[in-house]
Coordinates of all heavy atoms in Angstrom, one line a residue:
W1 N 20.1 5.2 -7.7 CA 18.9 5.2 -8.4 C 18.1 6.5 -8.2 O 17.5 7.0 -9.1 CB 18.0 4.0 -8.0 CG 18.5 2.7 -8.6 CD1 19.1 1.7 -7.9 CD2 18.5 2.3 -10.0 NE1 19.4 0.6 -8.8 CE2 19.1 1.0 -10.0 CE3 18.1 2.9 -11.1 CZ2 19.3 0.3 -11.2 CZ3 18.3 2.2 -12.3 CH2 18.9 0.9 -12.4
M2 N 18.1 6.9 -7.0 CA 17.4 8.2 -6.7 C 18.0 9.4 -7.4 O 17.3 10.2 -8.0 CB 17.4 8.4 -5.1 CG 16.7 7.3 -4.3 SD 15.0 7.0 -4.8 CE 14.2 8.3 -3.9
E3 N 19.3 9.4 -7.5 CA 20.0 10.5 -8.2 C 19.7 10.4 -9.7 O 19.3 11.4 -10.3 CB 21.5 10.5 -8.0 CG 22.3 11.6 -8.7 CD 21.8 13.0 -8.2 OE1 21.5 13.1 -7.0 OE2 21.8 13.9 -9.0
M4 N 19.7 9.2 -10.2 CA 19.4 9.1 -11.7 C 17.9 9.5 -11.9 O 17.6 10.1 -12.9 CB 19.6 7.6 -12.1 CG 19.3 7.4 -13.6 SD 19.6 5.7 -14.1 CE 18.0 5.0 -13.6
G5 N 17.0 9.1 -11.0 CA 15.6 9.5 -11.1 C 15.4 11.0 -11.2 O 14.5 11.4 -11.9
R6 N 16.2 11.7 -10.5 CA 16.1 13.2 -10.6 C 16.5 13.8 -11.9 O 16.1 14.8 -12.3 CB 16.9 13.8 -9.5 CG 16.4 13.6 -8.1 CD 17.1 14.5 -7.1 NE 18.1 13.8 -6.3 CZ 17.8 12.9 -5.3 NH1 16.5 12.6 -5.0 NH2 18.7 12.3 -4.6
R7 N 17.3 13.0 -12.7 CA 17.8 13.5 -14.0 C 16.9 13.0 -15.1 O 17.0 13.5 -16.2 CB 19.2 13.0 -14.2 CG 20.2 13.8 -13.3 CD 21.6 13.4 -13.7 NE 22.0 12.3 -12.7 CZ 22.8 11.4 -13.0 NH1 23.5 11.4 -14.1 NH2 23.1 10.5 -12.1
V8 N 16.0 12.1 -14.9 CA 15.1 11.5 -15.9 C 13.9 12.5 -16.1 O 13.3 12.9 -15.1 CB 14.7 10.1 -15.6 CG1 13.6 9.6 -16.6 CG2 15.8 9.2 -15.5
H9 N 13.6 12.8 -17.3 CA 12.5 13.7 -17.6 C 11.2 13.3 -17.0 O 10.5 14.0 -16.4 CB 12.4 14.0 -19.1 CG 11.2 14.7 -19.5 ND1 11.0 16.1 -19.2 CD2 10.0 14.4 -20.1 CE1 9.8 16.5 -19.6 NE2 9.2 15.4 -20.2
A10 N 10.8 12.0 -17.3 CA 9.5 11.5 -16.8 C 9.8 10.1 -16.1 O 9.5 9.1 -16.7 CB 8.5 11.4 -17.9
P11 N 10.3 10.1 -14.9 CA 10.6 8.9 -14.2 C 9.3 8.1 -14.0 O 8.3 8.6 -13.7 CB 11.3 9.3 -12.9 CG 10.8 10.7 -12.7 CD 10.5 11.3 -14.0
P12 N 9.5 6.8 -14.0 CA 8.3 5.9 -13.7 C 7.9 6.1 -12.2 O 8.7 6.3 -11.3 CB 8.7 4.5 -14.0 CG 10.2 4.6 -13.8 CD 10.6 5.9 -14.2
R13 N 6.6 5.9 -11.9 CA 6.1 5.9 -10.6 C 6.5 4.6 -9.9 O 6.6 3.5 -10.6 CB 4.6 6.0 -10.6 CG 4.1 7.2 -11.3 CD 4.0 8.3 -10.4 NE 3.4 9.5 -11.2 CZ 3.3 10.6 -10.7 NH1 3.7 10.9 -9.5 NH2 2.8 11.6 -11.4
M14 N 6.8 4.6 -8.6 CA 7.2 3.4 -7.9 C 6.2 3.2 -6.8 O 5.8 4.1 -6.1 CB 8.6 3.6 -7.3 CG 9.7 3.7 -8.3 SD 11.3 4.2 -7.6 CE 11.5 2.9 -6.4
F15 N 5.7 1.9 -6.7 CA 4.8 1.5 -5.7 C 5.3 0.3 -5.0 O 5.9 -0.5 -5.6 CB 3.4 1.3 -6.3 CG 2.8 2.5 -6.9 CD1 3.0 2.9 -8.2 CD2 1.9 3.3 -6.1 CE1 2.5 4.0 -8.7 CE2 1.3 4.4 -6.7 CZ 1.6 4.8 -8.0
S16 N 4.9 0.1 -3.7 CA 5.2 -1.1 -3.0 C 4.0 -1.6 -2.3 O 3.1 -0.8 -1.8 CB 6.2 -0.7 -1.9 OG 6.5 -1.8 -1.1
V17 N 3.8 -2.9 -2.3 CA 2.6 -3.5 -1.7 C 3.0 -4.7 -0.9 O 3.9 -5.5 -1.2 CB 1.7 -4.0 -2.8 CG1 0.5 -4.7 -2.2 CG2 1.3 -2.9 -3.8
N18 N 2.4 -4.8 0.3 CA 2.6 -6.0 1.1 C 1.3 -6.8 1.2 O 0.4 -6.4 2.0 CB 3.1 -5.6 2.5 CG 3.4 -6.9 3.4 OD1 3.1 -8.0 3.0 ND2 3.9 -6.6 4.6
W19 N 1.1 -7.8 0.4 CA -0.1 -8.5 0.4 C -0.3 -9.5 1.6 O -1.3 -10.0 1.8 CB -0.2 -9.4 -0.9 CG 0.0 -8.7 -2.2 CD1 1.0 -8.9 -3.0 CD2 -0.9 -7.8 -2.8 NE1 0.9 -8.1 -4.1 CE2 -0.3 -7.4 -4.0 CE3 -2.1 -7.2 -2.5 CZ2 -0.8 -6.5 -4.9 CZ3 -2.6 -6.3 -3.4 CH2 -2.0 -6.0 -4.6
F20 N 0.8 -9.6 2.4 CA 0.9 -10.7 3.4 C 0.9 -10.2 4.8 O 1.3 -10.9 5.7 CB 2.1 -11.5 3.1 CG 2.2 -12.0 1.7 CD1 3.1 -11.5 0.8 CD2 1.3 -13.0 1.3 CE1 3.1 -11.9 -0.5 CE2 1.4 -13.5 0.0 CZ 2.2 -12.9 -0.9
R21 N 0.4 -9.0 5.1 CA 0.3 -8.5 6.4 C -0.8 -9.3 7.2 O -1.8 -9.7 6.6 CB -0.2 -7.0 6.5 CG 1.0 -6.2 6.2 CD 1.0 -4.8 6.8 NE 0.9 -4.7 8.2 CZ 0.5 -3.6 8.8 NH1 0.3 -2.5 8.0 NH2 0.4 -3.5 10.1
K22 N -0.5 -9.6 8.4 CA -1.4 -10.4 9.2 C -1.9 -9.6 10.4 O -1.2 -8.7 10.9 CB -0.6 -11.7 9.7 CG -0.3 -12.6 8.6 CD 0.3 -13.9 9.1 CE 0.7 -14.8 8.0 NZ 1.3 -16.1 8.5
D23 N -3.1 -10.0 10.9 CA -3.7 -9.4 12.1 C -3.1 -10.0 13.3 O -2.2 -10.9 13.3 CB -5.2 -9.4 12.0 CG -5.8 -10.8 12.1 OD1 -5.1 -11.8 12.5 OD2 -6.9 -10.9 11.7
Q24 N -3.6 -9.6 14.5 CA -3.1 -10.1 15.8 C -3.4 -11.5 16.0 O -2.7 -12.2 16.8 CB -3.6 -9.2 17.0 CG -5.1 -9.3 17.1 CD -5.9 -8.3 16.3 OE1 -5.3 -7.6 15.4 NE2 -7.2 -8.2 16.5
D25 N -4.3 -12.1 15.2 CA -4.6 -13.5 15.3 C -3.9 -14.4 14.3 O -4.1 -15.6 14.1 CB -6.1 -13.8 15.1 CG -6.9 -13.1 16.2 OD1 -6.5 -13.1 17.4 OD2 -8.0 -12.5 15.9
G26 N -3.0 -13.7 13.5 CA -2.2 -14.4 12.5 C -2.9 -14.7 11.2 O -2.4 -15.4 10.4
R27 N -4.0 -14.0 11.0 CA -4.7 -14.2 9.7 C -4.4 -13.0 8.8 O -4.2 -11.9 9.2 CB -6.2 -14.2 9.9 CG -6.7 -15.5 10.6 CD -8.1 -15.5 10.8 NE -8.2 -14.9 12.2 CZ -9.3 -14.6 12.8 NH1 -10.5 -14.8 12.2 NH2 -9.3 -14.0 14.0
F28 N -4.3 -13.3 7.5 CA -4.0 -12.3 6.5 C -5.1 -11.2 6.5 O -6.3 -11.5 6.6 CB -3.9 -12.9 5.1 CG -2.7 -13.8 4.9 CD1 -2.9 -15.1 4.7 CD2 -1.5 -13.2 5.0 CE1 -1.8 -15.9 4.5 CE2 -0.4 -14.1 4.8 CZ -0.5 -15.4 4.6
I29 N -4.7 -9.9 6.5 CA -5.7 -8.9 6.5 C -6.3 -8.7 5.2 O -7.5 -8.5 5.0 CB -5.0 -7.5 7.0 CG1 -4.4 -7.7 8.4 CG2 -6.0 -6.4 7.0 CD1 -3.6 -6.5 8.9
W30 N -5.5 -8.7 4.1 CA -6.1 -8.5 2.8 C -6.8 -9.7 2.4 O -6.4 -10.8 2.6 CB -4.9 -8.2 1.8 CG -5.4 -7.8 0.4 CD1 -5.3 -8.6 -0.7 CD2 -6.2 -6.7 0.0 NE1 -5.9 -7.9 -1.8 CE2 -6.4 -6.8 -1.3 CE3 -6.7 -5.6 0.7 CZ2 -7.2 -5.8 -2.0 CZ3 -7.4 -4.6 0.0 CH2 -7.6 -4.7 -1.3
P31 N -8.0 -9.6 1.8 CA -8.9 -10.7 1.5 C -8.4 -11.8 0.6 O -8.9 -12.9 0.5 CB -10.2 -10.1 1.0 CG -9.9 -8.7 0.6 CD -8.6 -8.3 1.4
G32 N -7.4 -11.5 -0.2 CA -6.8 -12.6 -1.0 C -6.5 -12.1 -2.4 O -6.8 -11.0 -2.9
F33 N -5.8 -13.1 -3.1 CA -5.2 -12.8 -4.4 C -6.3 -12.2 -5.4 O -6.0 -11.4 -6.2 CB -4.7 -14.1 -5.0 CG -4.1 -14.0 -6.4 CD1 -2.8 -13.4 -6.5 CD2 -4.8 -14.5 -7.5 CE1 -2.3 -13.3 -7.8 CE2 -4.2 -14.4 -8.7 CZ -3.0 -13.8 -8.9
G34 N -7.5 -12.8 -5.4 CA -8.5 -12.3 -6.3 C -8.9 -10.8 -6.1 O -9.5 -10.3 -7.0
E35 N -8.5 -10.2 -5.1 CA -8.9 -8.8 -4.8 C -7.7 -7.9 -5.1 O -7.8 -6.7 -5.0 CB -9.3 -8.7 -3.3 CG -10.4 -9.6 -2.9 CD -11.7 -9.4 -3.8 OE1 -11.9 -8.3 -4.4 OE2 -12.5 -10.3 -3.8
N36 N -6.6 -8.4 -5.6 CA -5.4 -7.6 -5.8 C -5.7 -6.5 -6.9 O -5.0 -5.4 -6.9 CB -4.2 -8.4 -6.2 CG -3.7 -9.3 -5.1 OD1 -4.2 -9.2 -4.0 ND2 -2.7 -10.1 -5.3
M37 N -6.6 -6.8 -7.8 CA -6.9 -5.8 -8.9 C -7.4 -4.5 -8.3 O -7.2 -3.4 -8.9 CB -7.9 -6.4 -9.9 CG -8.1 -5.5 -11.1 SD -6.5 -5.1 -11.9 CE -6.4 -6.4 -13.0
R38 N -8.0 -4.5 -7.1 CA -8.5 -3.3 -6.5 C -7.3 -2.4 -6.2 O -7.4 -1.2 -6.4 CB -9.2 -3.6 -5.2 CG -10.5 -4.4 -5.4 CD -11.1 -4.9 -4.1 NE -12.1 -5.8 -4.3 CZ -13.4 -5.5 -4.7 NH1 -13.7 -4.2 -4.7 NH2 -14.3 -6.4 -4.8
V39 N -6.2 -2.9 -5.7 CA -5.0 -2.1 -5.4 C -4.3 -1.7 -6.7 O -3.9 -0.5 -6.9 CB -4.0 -2.9 -4.6 CG1 -2.7 -2.1 -4.4 CG2 -4.6 -3.3 -3.2
L40 N -4.3 -2.6 -7.7 CA -3.7 -2.2 -9.0 C -4.5 -1.1 -9.7 O -3.9 -0.2 -10.3 CB -3.5 -3.4 -9.9 CG -2.6 -4.5 -9.3 CD1 -2.6 -5.7 -10.2 CD2 -1.2 -4.0 -9.1
E41 N -5.8 -1.2 -9.5 CA -6.6 -0.1 -10.1 C -6.3 1.2 -9.4 O -6.2 2.3 -10.1 CB -8.1 -0.4 -9.9 CG -9.1 0.6 -10.4 CD -10.5 0.3 -10.1 OE1 -10.8 -0.4 -9.1 OE2 -11.4 0.7 -10.9
W42 N -6.1 1.2 -8.1 CA -5.7 2.5 -7.4 C -4.4 2.9 -7.9 O -4.2 4.1 -8.1 CB -5.7 2.2 -5.9 CG -5.3 3.5 -5.1 CD1 -6.1 4.5 -4.8 CD2 -4.0 3.9 -4.8 NE1 -5.4 5.5 -4.2 CE2 -4.1 5.2 -4.2 CE3 -2.7 3.3 -4.9 CZ2 -3.0 5.9 -3.7 CZ3 -1.6 4.0 -4.4 CH2 -1.8 5.3 -3.8
V43 N -3.4 2.0 -8.0 CA -2.1 2.4 -8.5 C -2.2 3.1 -9.9 O -1.6 4.1 -10.2 CB -1.2 1.2 -8.6 CG1 0.1 1.5 -9.4 CG2 -0.8 0.7 -7.2
H44 N -3.0 2.5 -10.8 CA -3.2 3.0 -12.1 C -3.8 4.4 -12.0 O -3.3 5.4 -12.7 CB -4.1 2.1 -13.0 CG -4.4 2.7 -14.3 ND1 -3.5 2.8 -15.4 CD2 -5.6 3.3 -14.7 CE1 -4.1 3.3 -16.4 NE2 -5.4 3.7 -16.0
N45 N -4.9 4.5 -11.3 CA -5.6 5.8 -11.2 C -4.7 6.9 -10.5 O -4.7 8.0 -10.9 CB -6.9 5.7 -10.4 CG -7.9 4.9 -11.2 OD1 -7.9 4.9 -12.4 ND2 -8.9 4.3 -10.5
R46 N -3.9 6.4 -9.5 CA -3.0 7.4 -8.8 C -1.9 7.9 -9.8 O -1.6 9.1 -9.8 CB -2.3 6.7 -7.6 CG -1.4 7.6 -6.9 CD -2.1 8.6 -6.1 NE -1.2 9.5 -5.5 CZ -1.4 10.7 -5.2 NH1 -2.6 11.3 -5.4 NH2 -0.5 11.5 -4.6
S47 N -1.4 7.0 -10.7 CA -0.4 7.4 -11.7 C -1.0 8.4 -12.6 O -0.2 9.2 -13.2 CB 0.0 6.2 -12.4 OG 0.7 5.3 -11.6
K48 N -2.3 8.4 -12.8 CA -2.9 9.3 -13.8 C -3.5 10.6 -13.0 O -4.2 11.4 -13.6 CB -4.1 8.6 -14.5 CG -3.7 7.4 -15.3 CD -2.8 7.8 -16.5 CE -2.5 6.6 -17.3 NZ -1.5 6.9 -18.3
G49 N -3.2 10.6 -11.7 CA -3.7 11.8 -10.9 C -5.2 11.7 -10.6 O -5.8 12.8 -10.3
R50 N -5.8 10.5 -10.6 CA -7.2 10.4 -10.4 C -7.6 9.7 -9.1 O -8.8 9.4 -8.9 CB -7.9 9.7 -11.6 CG -7.7 10.4 -12.9 CD -8.5 9.7 -14.0 NE -8.1 8.3 -14.2 CZ -7.6 7.8 -15.3 NH1 -7.4 8.5 -16.3 NH2 -7.4 6.5 -15.3
A51 N -6.6 9.4 -8.2 CA -7.0 8.7 -7.0 C -6.4 9.5 -5.8 O -5.2 9.9 -5.8 CB -6.4 7.3 -7.0
P52 N -7.2 9.7 -4.8 CA -6.7 10.4 -3.6 C -5.8 9.5 -2.8 O -5.8 8.3 -2.8 CB -8.0 10.6 -2.8 CG -8.9 9.6 -3.2 CD -8.6 9.2 -4.6
A53 N -4.9 10.2 -2.1 CA -3.9 9.5 -1.3 C -3.6 10.4 0.0 O -3.8 11.6 0.0 CB -2.6 9.3 -2.1
V54 N -3.0 9.7 0.9 CA -2.5 10.4 2.2 C -1.0 10.3 2.2 O -0.4 9.2 2.0 CB -3.2 9.6 3.4 CG1 -2.7 10.2 4.7 CG2 -4.7 9.6 3.3
E55 N -0.4 11.4 2.5 CA 1.1 11.4 2.7 C 1.5 10.8 4.0 O 0.9 11.2 5.0 CB 1.7 12.8 2.5 CG 3.2 12.8 2.4 CD 3.7 14.1 2.1 OE1 3.0 15.1 2.2 OE2 4.9 14.2 1.8
T56 N 2.4 9.8 4.0 CA 2.9 9.2 5.2 C 4.5 9.2 5.1 O 5.0 9.5 4.1 CB 2.4 7.7 5.3 OG1 3.1 6.9 4.3 CG2 0.9 7.6 5.0
P57 N 5.1 8.8 6.2 CA 6.6 8.6 6.1 C 7.1 7.6 5.0 O 8.2 7.7 4.6 CB 7.0 8.1 7.5 CG 5.9 8.6 8.4 CD 4.6 8.5 7.5
F58 N 6.2 6.7 4.6 CA 6.5 5.7 3.6 C 6.2 6.2 2.2 O 6.5 5.5 1.2 CB 5.8 4.4 3.9 CG 6.1 3.9 5.2 CD1 5.1 3.9 6.2 CD2 7.3 3.4 5.5 CE1 5.4 3.4 7.5 CE2 7.6 2.9 6.8 CZ 6.6 2.9 7.8
G59 N 5.6 7.4 2.1 CA 5.2 7.8 0.8 C 3.6 8.1 0.8 O 3.0 8.2 1.8
W60 N 3.1 8.1 -0.4 CA 1.6 8.3 -0.6 C 0.9 7.0 -0.5 O 1.2 6.1 -1.3 CB 1.4 9.0 -1.9 CG 1.9 10.4 -1.9 CD1 3.2 10.8 -2.3 CD2 1.3 11.6 -1.4 NE1 3.4 12.1 -2.1 CE2 2.2 12.7 -1.5 CE3 0.0 11.8 -0.8 CZ2 1.9 14.0 -1.1 CZ3 -0.3 13.1 -0.4 CH2 0.7 14.2 -0.6
M61 N -0.1 6.9 0.3 CA -0.9 5.7 0.5 C -2.3 6.0 0.2 O -2.8 7.1 0.3 CB -0.7 5.2 1.9 CG 0.7 4.7 2.2 SD 1.0 4.3 3.9 CE 0.1 2.8 4.1
P62 N -3.1 4.9 -0.2 CA -4.5 5.1 -0.6 C -5.3 5.6 0.6 O -5.1 5.3 1.7 CB -5.0 3.7 -1.0 CG -3.8 2.9 -1.1 CD -2.7 3.5 -0.3
E63 N -6.3 6.5 0.2 CA -7.4 6.8 1.1 C -8.4 5.7 1.0 O -8.6 5.2 -0.1 CB -8.0 8.2 0.8 CG -7.1 9.3 1.1 CD -7.8 10.7 0.8 OE1 -8.9 10.7 0.4 OE2 -7.1 11.7 1.0
Y64 N -9.1 5.5 2.0 CA -10.2 4.4 2.0 C -11.2 4.7 0.9 O -11.5 3.9 0.1 CB -10.9 4.4 3.3 CG -12.0 3.3 3.4 CD1 -11.7 2.0 3.5 CD2 -13.3 3.7 3.2 CE1 -12.7 1.0 3.6 CE2 -14.3 2.7 3.2 CZ -14.0 1.4 3.4 OH -15.0 0.4 3.4
G65 N -11.6 6.0 0.7 CA -12.5 6.4 -0.3 C -12.0 6.3 -1.7 O -12.8 6.4 -2.6
G66 N -10.7 6.2 -1.8 CA -10.1 6.2 -3.2 C -10.0 4.8 -3.8 O -9.6 4.6 -4.9
M67 N -10.4 3.8 -3.0 CA -10.4 2.4 -3.4 C -11.8 2.0 -3.9 O -12.8 2.5 -3.4 CB -9.9 1.5 -2.3 CG -8.5 1.7 -1.8 SD -7.2 1.1 -2.8 CE -7.5 -0.7 -2.6
N68 N -11.8 1.0 -4.8 CA -13.1 0.4 -5.2 C -13.4 -0.7 -4.3 O -12.8 -1.8 -4.4 CB -12.9 0.0 -6.7 CG -14.1 -0.7 -7.2 OD1 -15.1 -0.9 -6.5 ND2 -14.0 -1.2 -8.4
W69 N -14.5 -0.6 -3.5 CA -14.9 -1.6 -2.6 C -16.1 -2.3 -3.1 O -16.7 -3.2 -2.4 CB -15.1 -1.0 -1.2 CG -13.9 -0.4 -0.7 CD1 -13.7 1.0 -0.4 CD2 -12.7 -1.0 -0.3 NE1 -12.5 1.2 0.1 CE2 -11.8 0.0 0.2 CE3 -12.3 -2.3 -0.3 CZ2 -10.5 -0.3 0.6 CZ3 -11.0 -2.6 0.2 CH2 -10.1 -1.6 0.6
E70 N -16.6 -2.1 -4.3 CA -17.8 -2.7 -4.8 C -17.7 -4.2 -4.8 O -16.7 -4.8 -5.3 CB -18.1 -2.2 -6.2 CG -19.4 -2.7 -6.8 CD -19.6 -2.1 -8.2 OE1 -19.0 -1.0 -8.5 OE2 -20.4 -2.7 -8.9
G71 N -18.7 -4.9 -4.2 CA -18.7 -6.3 -4.1 C -17.8 -6.9 -3.0 O -17.7 -8.1 -2.9
L72 N -17.2 -6.0 -2.2 CA -16.4 -6.5 -1.1 C -16.8 -5.9 0.2 O -16.1 -5.2 0.9 CB -14.9 -6.2 -1.4 CG -13.9 -6.8 -0.5 CD1 -13.9 -8.3 -0.6 CD2 -12.5 -6.3 -0.8
E73 N -18.1 -6.0 0.5 CA -18.7 -5.3 1.7 C -18.1 -5.8 3.0 O -18.1 -5.1 4.0 CB -20.2 -5.5 1.7 CG -20.9 -4.7 0.7 CD -20.7 -5.1 -0.8 OE1 -20.4 -6.3 -1.0 OE2 -20.8 -4.3 -1.7
G74 N -17.5 -7.0 3.0 CA -16.9 -7.5 4.3 C -15.6 -6.9 4.7 O -15.1 -7.2 5.8
F75 N -15.0 -6.1 3.8 CA -13.7 -5.5 4.1 C -14.0 -4.1 4.7 O -14.2 -3.2 3.9 CB -12.8 -5.5 2.9 CG -11.4 -5.2 3.3 CD1 -10.6 -6.1 3.8 CD2 -10.9 -3.9 3.1 CE1 -9.3 -5.9 4.1 CE2 -9.5 -3.6 3.4 CZ -8.7 -4.6 3.9
S76 N -14.0 -4.0 6.0 CA -14.4 -2.8 6.7 C -13.3 -1.7 6.7 O -12.2 -1.9 6.4 CB -14.7 -3.1 8.1 OG -13.5 -3.5 8.8
R77 N -13.8 -0.5 7.0 CA -12.9 0.7 7.1 C -11.9 0.3 8.2 O -10.7 0.7 8.1 CB -13.7 1.9 7.5 CG -12.9 3.1 7.9 CD -12.1 3.6 6.6 NE -11.3 4.8 6.9 CZ -11.5 6.0 6.5 NH1 -12.7 6.3 5.9 NH2 -10.7 6.9 6.7
E78 N -12.3 -0.4 9.3 CA -11.4 -0.8 10.4 C -10.3 -1.7 9.9 O -9.1 -1.5 10.2 CB -12.2 -1.5 11.5 CG -11.4 -1.9 12.7 CD -12.2 -2.6 13.7 OE1 -12.5 -3.8 13.5 OE2 -12.6 -1.9 14.7
K79 N -10.6 -2.6 9.0 CA -9.6 -3.5 8.5 C -8.6 -2.8 7.6 O -7.4 -3.0 7.6 CB -10.2 -4.7 7.7 CG -10.8 -5.7 8.5 CD -11.3 -6.9 7.6 CE -11.9 -8.0 8.5 NZ -12.4 -9.1 7.7
F80 N -9.2 -1.8 6.8 CA -8.3 -1.0 5.9 C -7.4 -0.2 6.7 O -6.2 -0.1 6.4 CB -9.2 -0.1 5.1 CG -8.4 0.9 4.2 CD1 -7.9 0.4 3.0 CD2 -8.2 2.2 4.6 CE1 -7.2 1.3 2.2 CE2 -7.5 3.0 3.8 CZ -7.0 2.6 2.6
D81 N -7.9 0.4 7.8 CA -7.0 1.3 8.7 C -5.9 0.4 9.3 O -4.8 0.8 9.4 CB -7.8 2.0 9.7 CG -8.7 3.1 9.2 OD1 -8.4 3.5 8.0 OD2 -9.6 3.5 9.9
S82 N -6.3 -0.8 9.7 CA -5.3 -1.7 10.3 C -4.2 -2.1 9.2 O -3.0 -2.1 9.5 CB -6.0 -3.0 10.8 OG -5.0 -3.9 11.2
L83 N -4.6 -2.3 8.0 CA -3.7 -2.7 6.9 C -2.8 -1.5 6.6 O -1.6 -1.7 6.3 CB -4.5 -3.1 5.7 CG -3.8 -3.6 4.5 CD1 -3.1 -4.9 4.9 CD2 -4.7 -3.8 3.4
M84 N -3.3 -0.3 6.7 CA -2.5 0.9 6.3 C -1.6 1.4 7.5 O -0.7 2.2 7.3 CB -3.4 2.0 5.9 CG -4.1 1.8 4.6 SD -3.0 1.7 3.2 CE -3.2 0.0 2.7
S85 N -1.8 0.9 8.7 CA -1.1 1.3 9.9 C 0.4 0.8 9.8 O 0.7 -0.2 9.1 CB -1.7 0.8 11.1 OG -1.6 -0.6 11.3
A86 N 1.2 1.5 10.5 CA 2.6 1.1 10.5 C 3.2 1.2 11.9 O 3.1 2.2 12.6 CB 3.5 2.0 9.6
D87 N 3.7 0.1 12.4 CA 4.3 0.0 13.7 C 5.8 0.2 13.5 O 6.5 -0.5 12.8 CB 4.0 -1.4 14.3 CG 4.6 -1.5 15.7 OD1 5.8 -1.9 15.8 OD2 3.9 -1.1 16.7
R88 N 6.3 1.3 14.2 CA 7.7 1.6 14.1 C 8.7 0.5 14.4 O 9.6 0.2 13.6 CB 8.0 2.8 15.0 CG 9.4 3.3 15.0 CD 9.6 4.4 16.0 NE 11.0 4.8 16.2 CZ 11.8 5.4 15.3 NH1 11.3 5.8 14.2 NH2 13.1 5.6 15.6
E89 N 8.4 -0.3 15.4 CA 9.3 -1.4 15.8 C 9.3 -2.5 14.8 O 10.3 -3.1 14.5 CB 8.9 -1.9 17.2 CG 9.2 -0.9 18.3 CD 10.6 -0.4 18.3 OE1 11.6 -1.1 18.2 OE2 10.8 0.9 18.5
D90 N 8.1 -2.8 14.2 CA 8.0 -3.8 13.2 C 8.8 -3.4 12.0 O 9.5 -4.2 11.4 CB 6.5 -4.0 12.7 CG 5.7 -4.8 13.8 OD1 6.4 -5.4 14.7 OD2 4.5 -4.8 13.6
W91 N 8.7 -2.1 11.6 CA 9.5 -1.6 10.4 C 11.0 -1.7 10.7 O 11.8 -2.0 9.8 CB 9.0 -0.2 10.0 CG 7.9 -0.3 9.1 CD1 6.5 -0.2 9.4 CD2 7.9 -0.7 7.7 NE1 5.8 -0.4 8.2 CE2 6.6 -0.7 7.2 CE3 9.0 -0.9 6.8 CZ2 6.3 -1.0 5.9 CZ3 8.7 -1.2 5.4 CH2 7.3 -1.2 5.0
L92 N 11.4 -1.3 11.8 CA 12.8 -1.3 12.2 C 13.3 -2.8 12.1 O 14.4 -3.1 11.6 CB 13.1 -0.7 13.5 CG 13.0 0.8 13.6 CD1 13.1 1.2 15.1 CD2 14.0 1.5 12.7
R93 N 12.5 -3.7 12.6 CA 12.9 -5.1 12.5 C 13.0 -5.6 11.1 O 13.9 -6.3 10.7 CB 11.8 -5.9 13.3 CG 12.4 -7.1 14.0 CD 11.4 -7.8 14.9 NE 10.0 -7.4 15.0 CZ 9.5 -6.5 15.9 NH1 10.3 -6.0 16.8 NH2 8.2 -6.2 15.8
E94 N 12.0 -5.2 10.3 CA 12.0 -5.5 8.9 C 13.2 -5.0 8.1 O 13.8 -5.7 7.4 CB 10.7 -5.0 8.2 CG 10.6 -5.1 6.7 CD 10.1 -6.5 6.3 OE1 9.5 -7.2 7.1 OE2 10.3 -6.8 5.1
L95 N 13.6 -3.8 8.4 CA 14.7 -3.2 7.7 C 16.0 -3.9 8.1 O 16.9 -4.2 7.3 CB 14.9 -1.7 8.1 CG 13.8 -0.8 7.5 CD1 13.9 0.6 8.0 CD2 13.9 -0.8 6.0
T96 N 16.2 -4.3 9.4 CA 17.4 -5.0 9.8 C 17.5 -6.4 9.2 O 18.6 -6.9 9.1 CB 17.6 -5.0 11.3 OG1 16.4 -5.6 11.9 CG2 17.7 -3.6 11.9
D97 N 16.3 -7.0 8.9 CA 16.3 -8.3 8.3 C 16.9 -8.3 6.9 O 17.3 -9.3 6.4 CB 14.9 -8.9 8.3 CG 14.4 -9.4 9.6 OD1 15.3 -9.5 10.5 OD2 13.2 -9.6 9.7
H98 N 17.0 -7.1 6.3 CA 17.4 -7.0 4.9 C 18.8 -6.4 4.7 O 19.2 -6.1 3.7 CB 16.4 -6.1 4.1 CG 15.1 -6.7 4.0 ND1 14.8 -7.8 3.2 CD2 13.9 -6.4 4.6 CE1 13.5 -8.1 3.3 NE2 13.0 -7.3 4.2
E99 N 19.5 -6.3 5.8 CA 20.9 -5.7 5.8 C 21.8 -6.8 5.2 O 21.7 -7.9 5.4 CB 21.3 -5.3 7.1 CG 20.6 -4.0 7.5 CD 21.2 -3.4 8.8 OE1 21.6 -4.2 9.7 OE2 21.1 -2.2 9.0

């Protein structure tokens, strides 16, 4: 797929989302299904070159300031940073689960 993508004139953008990350207490970090449009809005804007992102080993991820937080004052910068963090051992475990 990656090789084919290099030959396509305008390949589609690819995004991955994990709505189900949990905090250390076992609670979901993302506030819920009704808030998913905020991420989809960022995806749309990013595809059009209108949303800021941070480059990571996993690709480009949203910057806190690039998301629409209007009406969701309870979702702090700290929660966002926790959601965007990546633990190397967790990812290695995740990858081996899919072999």
